[in-house]
Amino acid sequence: MTEPIVLPEFDNFGDQTISGLEAPEEATAASQSVLREARNSGRPRIDDPGDNQLTLERGICREGTWYRNAEVRELTGADEEAIAAAGVGTSAYRVFETLLLRATVHVGGEPMSPKVAAELLIGDREALVVAIRRASFGENLEFERLPCPRCGELVDLTVPLAALPGVTLDEPDRVNFEVPLRHGATATVRLPTGEDQEAVFAIKNNKARQDSEILGRCVLSVTQPDGTEIRKPPAQTLRMADRQAILGFLGETQPGPRLADFSFTHETCGEEVALPISLAMLFRGL
């Protein structure tokens, strides 16, 4: 099986698959392991947007035009109460969604709403939540007494949000992508959105069904070597290797922060230390 591919997952935020899609409950849950093998290998980094403004990778489309500018605001006490209520008896996914809806002012000049949130790519949603964190608590994440897995020394660390790794789209306006499959076939796919993430979240404790849900939504067609096109093929009919190839492509191509890929070099011993950033680590106290 492939590793999870979410969209936001703040725990396995961007494991080169789609994290929160395959494991939506774990995706935004608090990090279960602070240190693990480094995976950050030269990915593009998210630029500091400044103030409460940011530019999304895809944004929303209105009458054939993509609008990528967005604005967030600082969290208030009322937001804190709403976020706490969202987390009672449910998963961290609802906390993420509440953060997104309450503290995003607009996308492309259109006020944030469940409809807008559902249209956004998963990576754009995650970028907005990181921007909300910056607006509410500042640029730096502070860590104390992190144990180095090699030498055991406890490390104090300051991490600027701008230093966290991320992925960008080479062609932001491109909607459909081609994925090579086995035996010469090709799949035409689109990237998952908030609406897709919500559908996967509704499926509990069955990763294979979660995979099928996202594949059923994002695979637009499969073209056979002889040119025959199968539109919207049932996900259950896809070969297992082809399913894995498509899920892997969706996760690797999805733009946005890769918080699970963050690592730092421990100066004392020279060890590269993985420090996956979770939702709980971004918004301590919520």
Side-chain angles (χ1 to χ4, degrees):
M1 292 295 182
T2 59
E3 296 182 11
I5 39 176
V6 232
L7 335 291
E9 113 180 335
F10 276 96
D11 212 3
N12 278 321
F13 210 46
D15 279 2
Q16 297 187 359
T17 31
I18 299 185
S19 27
L21 293 178
E22 297 185 353
E25 296 187 29
E26 293 85 352
T28 51
S31 179
Q32 297 299 309
S33 173
V34 174
L35 302 173
R36 68 186 183 202
E37 181 182 356
R39 294 192 307 274
N40 181 21
S41 57
R43 291 181 180 273
R45 294 187 178 273
I46 300 299
D47 294 329
D48 183 353
D51 299 325
N52 295 346
Q53 310 288 327
L54 68 157
T55 301
L56 302 176
E57 283 294 304
R58 174 68 60 75
I60 59 175
C61 187
R62 296 293 179 266
E63 298 182 352
T65 300
W66 290 98
Y67 296 91
R68 297 181 173 85
N69 61 305
E71 180 181 359
V72 299
R73 65 166 175 80
E74 185 175 356
L75 294 169
T76 67
D79 298 321
E80 183 177 2
E81 291 182 5
I83 291 164
V88 174
T90 185
S91 78
Y93 175 83
R94 292 300 178 198
V95 174
F96 175 92
E97 191 77 3
T98 303
L99 275 165
L100 182 69
L101 291 172
R102 291 188 67 93
T104 302
V105 179
H106 73 81
V107 175
E110 186 169 327
M112 179 52 109
S113 66
K115 176 180 180 296
V116 171
E119 292 180 60
L120 293 172
L121 290 181
I122 290 174
D124 280 348
R125 289 158 56 91
E126 296 175 350
L128 285 167
V129 169
V130 172
I132 292 166
R133 196 280 175 198
R134 177 185 282 109
S136 301
F137 300 106
E139 171 64 19
N140 294 329
L141 292 171
E142 303 287 347
F143 298 95
E144 297 181 353
R145 301 176 64 78
L146 296 174
C148 175
R150 179 175 178 179
C151 68
E153 181 177 280
L154 300 180
V155 181
D156 292 340
L157 184 68
T158 298
V159 180
L161 292 175
L164 297 174
V167 170
T168 59
L169 291 173
D170 293 334
E171 303 175 72
D173 291 343
R174 184 177 181 183
V175 176
N176 296 340
F177 301 82
E178 305 300 317
V179 181
L181 306 179
R182 296 191 70 202
H183 308 298
T186 302
T188 300
V189 305
R190 64 168 178 81
L191 297 179
T193 65
E195 182 178 11
D196 302 319
Q197 191 178 18
E198 175 74 17
V200 172
F201 168 76
I203 299 172
K204 309 295 183 183
N205 304 319
N206 191 324
K207 182 179 176 298
R209 282 190 58 204
Q210 291 172 346
D211 288 347
S212 292
E213 180 69 25
I214 203 64
L215 289 167
R217 288 170 163 269
C218 294
V219 177
L220 306 178
S221 66
V222 171
T223 302
Q224 302 295 346
D226 64 2
T228 302
E229 182 182 38
I230 305 171
R231 298 188 61 80
K232 299 296 289 184
Q236 293 82 355
T237 66
L238 296 171
R239 296 183 178 90
M240 185 176 293
D242 290 343
R243 285 164 61 98
Q244 293 176 356
I246 294 168
L247 290 170
F249 175 87
L250 294 178
E252 292 169 4
T253 308
Q254 179 74 231
R258 290 292 190 268
L259 300 192
D261 289 346
F262 176 70
S263 66
F264 67 95
T265 301
H266 182 202
E267 294 182 0
T268 300
C269 66
E271 179 79 355
E272 188 72 10
V273 178
L275 179 59
I277 307 297
S278 69
L279 184 64
M281 293 161 76
L282 282 177
F283 295 91
R284 293 179 182 179
L286 292 183

